[in-house]
Amino acid sequence: MLERGRQELGGFKVLAESLGVTQYAGVATEVFRRASNGAAFLKSVRDLHGLRLDLVSQTEEGRLGFLTALSTFPDAVDSGSVVAWDSGGGSFQMTTQKCCGARDGGPSASATSRNSLPPVSSLADMELNVYEGCWGSSSATAAMVDQVQGGCFKDNPSPNPCSVQDAEKLTEIITKDLHPPPTSLTGLLGRSETVVVGIGGETCAFRMAALACGTPALTLPLVQEAITKCTGKTDAQLAETFPEPQMVVPKLVLVAAVLRHVGIPSMCYRPTNGSCNGLLLHPRFWS
């Protein structure tokens, strides 16, 4: 697996060079933060291919997600009204802009101009609040198999068909590990102009929820209804609609659990290639 990863990354570099790319940057996140050999793997990629992959903290990952979320708006937006929710394989982040001179959760005192994204030179210094969670799609699926169903995720990574009771037990396990949301986040959620944006690619939890609900505009009741519809189904049945069918129910449960715990009335899914947009916008990674 490690060797395949090195080969794939080398292939990306060859493809990029064929398109005229002269600078390369990448980040490693939760899986590499947890893995005992994560740093060694990143060094081997750098030695073999000349690719610098920075191991970023969860807080810095939240910054990249926030910049990515801002980039998804077709028109300029007040960055002080955006909550960026990035949910990966092993963790999630909800990121908001700190409001200088305003009370925690109060009206923004330094909203970014609606005419454009913040100047690139200011992005690295933008003050942000990051609410960090220790659950992601992979860890939720492993918990469904190992802790809820009493199986072995390494031997059989699919929990399907899941029952409604399985989903309820996983919700309890996830919720128990979540910290209380900060007032900077809950206060912002109480404002009518606030927009919660879930970002991610074709297999992310938010896209699974959008497919299951039939809309990118998500609410807790809609996601709960989708969970009920997806329980009792096999991998083959779920594969008719979803990629990675073995992870569909755990992903939906994760989204619903966080929506309820944080108190998010509604959110929208915006498709992105992970946090690549944020990486492109962040001056730290480019000479």
Side-chain angles (χ1 to χ4, degrees), residues 205-206 209-210 213 215-220 222-223 255 259 265-269:
F206 306 120
C213 297
T215 175
L218 305 175
T219 64
L220 179 58
L222 281 177
V223 179
V255 172
L259 283 171
S266 63
M267 64 166 294
C268 60
Y269 164 57

Side-chain angles (χ1 to χ4, degrees), residues 32-133:
F32 293 92
R33 290 194 291 262
R34 293 187 183 186
S36 59
N37 61 347
F41 174 79
L42 299 178
K43 182 179 183 300
S44 72
V45 171
R46 188 168 189 168
D47 292 343
L48 183 62
H49 299 300
L51 286 172
R52 189 191 80 189
L53 303 176
D54 290 336
L55 183 61
V56 296
S57 68
Q58 193 170 2
T59 300
E60 191 68 9
E61 188 177 358
R63 178 179 296 276
L64 296 175
F66 186 74
L67 298 179
T68 298
L70 292 184
S71 76
T72 67
F73 287 86
D75 299 312
V77 66
D78 177 0
S79 57
S81 69
V82 174
V83 178
W85 183 359
D86 177 15
S87 187
S91 65
F92 72 83
Q93 299 77 231
M94 285 189 189
T95 308
T96 59
Q97 184 178 6
K98 285 186 179 180
C99 300
C100 300
R103 295 181 58 185
D104 215 13
S108 171
S110 60
T112 300
S113 169
R114 292 180 181 273
N115 295 326
S116 65
L117 284 173
V120 170
S121 60
S122 73
L123 295 180
D125 299 323
M126 183 185 292
E127 291 190 67
L128 302 174
N129 293 308
V130 183
Y131 173 59
E132 301 175 355

Side-chain angles (χ1 to χ4, degrees), residues 3 11 19 40 92 115 145 225 238 278:
E3 180 57 32
L19 298 172
F92 72 83
N115 295 326
V145 174
E225 181 181 354
L238 290 172

Side-chain angles (χ1 to χ4, degrees), residues 12-13 16-17 21-26 50-52 285-286:
F12 290 154
K13 182 181 180 182
E17 288 176 334
V21 170
T22 58
Q23 291 189 56
Y24 316 92
L51 286 172
R52 189 191 80 189
F285 299 98
W286 307 100

Side-chain angles (χ1 to χ4, degrees), residues 100-175:
C100 300
R103 295 181 58 185
D104 215 13
S108 171
S110 60
T112 300
S113 169
R114 292 180 181 273
N115 295 326
S116 65
L117 284 173
V120 170
S121 60
S122 73
L123 295 180
D125 299 323
M126 183 185 292
E127 291 190 67
L128 302 174
N129 293 308
V130 183
Y131 173 59
E132 301 175 355
C134 60
W135 285 94
S137 299
S138 297
S139 53
T141 305
M144 177 71 92
V145 174
D146 294 339
Q147 298 181 49
V148 174
Q149 298 178 335
C152 180
F153 181 69
K154 291 183 179 180
D155 296 335
N156 182 17
S158 176
N160 293 323
C162 300
S163 67
V164 173
Q165 291 73 26
D166 289 341
E168 292 172 349
K169 290 179 182 177
L170 181 59
T171 300
E172 294 175 4
I173 291 171
I174 291 173
T175 303

Side-chain angles (χ1 to χ4, degrees), residues 215-236:
T215 175
L218 305 175
T219 64
L220 179 58
L222 281 177
V223 179
Q224 289 175 322
E225 181 181 354
I227 292 170
T228 301
K229 290 179 179 179
C230 290
T231 55
K233 294 188 177 181
T234 65
D235 283 353

